[in-house]
Amino acid sequence: MRHMSTPRIGVDVGRVLVEGLVPGADTSFFTGDDDALVATPALDGALDGLAWLVDQFDGQVWLVSKCGPTVQRRTLQWLEGNDVYALTGLAPAQVRFCRARPDKAVHARELHLTHFVDDRPEVHQVLAGLVTHRYLFGEHYPPPPGCVLTPTWPDVLTHVATTLRAAA
């Protein structure tokens, strides 16, 4: 496991920040016009939670999303259209994309992430041994070994706060 002096966190977008309204899809970005896109809701507590993370991690927060070019463009539209940068303090340059879920490990390694929040067990499996604190978001799966189940944003924040206090 990597032990960094500066905590750094990665957060998935679909079904972690943004509501996944299409069964089986990551987000509802696959359907609808631009108005429907911007109207897609953030999950309860997600934007306040992201703002808290940006504060607690001294800005060392990255959104890391798996998607193709169309959903990438629509994700950026959603972030801008919902004032996510202004509301949370997240820098636009701290949004990363990859084409396959296992590639999130490339970003985690490059960014020296110590924490990661994602709703997919297979992402956490590729991050094992690379990211010390891994949080499986939602109530859909049992957590992989070494990963903490966090059904809601308050659960994420509680567990993250515990790790930050322990490191202080």
Side-chain angles (χ1 to χ4, degrees), residues 137-158:
F137 189 82
E139 298 179 10
H140 310 290
Y141 315 99
C147 191
V148 176
L149 183 62
T150 52
T152 67
W153 268 95
D155 296 318
V156 169
L157 302 182
T158 296

Side-chain angles (χ1 to χ4, degrees), residues 105-121:
V106 173
H107 293 286
R109 186 175 296 106
E110 180 181 306
L111 297 168
H112 306 288
L113 299 179
T114 58
H115 298 66
F116 207 98
V117 182
D118 202 291
D119 67 308
R120 301 285 183 162

Side-chain angles (χ1 to χ4, degrees), residues 50-123:
L50 187 60
W52 184 87
L53 292 174
V54 169
D55 179 64
Q56 295 299 304
F57 282 79
D58 294 324
Q60 300 299 302
V61 177
W62 284 266
L63 299 183
V64 182
S65 182
K66 186 282 302 176
C67 59
T70 299
V71 174
Q72 178 176 330
R73 178 183 54 77
R74 291 176 70 86
T75 298
L76 293 170
Q77 281 180 276
W78 184 87
L79 292 168
E80 291 174 20
N82 284 278
D83 295 323
V84 172
Y85 305 119
L87 293 171
T88 67
L90 180 77
Q94 288 175 255
V95 179
R96 300 281 188 103
F97 296 98
C98 55
R99 299 296 182 246
R101 286 187 184 94
D103 293 339
K104 289 186 179 189
V106 173
H107 293 286
R109 186 175 296 106
E110 180 181 306
L111 297 168
H112 306 288
L113 299 179
T114 58
H115 298 66
F116 207 98
V117 182
D118 202 291
D119 67 308
R120 301 285 183 162
E122 61 269 29
V123 169

Side-chain angles (χ1 to χ4, degrees), residues 26-50:
D26 289 332
T27 67
S28 62
F29 291 162
F30 295 109
T31 60
D33 60 17
D34 288 350
D35 290 338
L37 164 73
V38 173
T40 303
L43 285 167
D44 286 343
L47 297 184
D48 289 340
L50 187 60

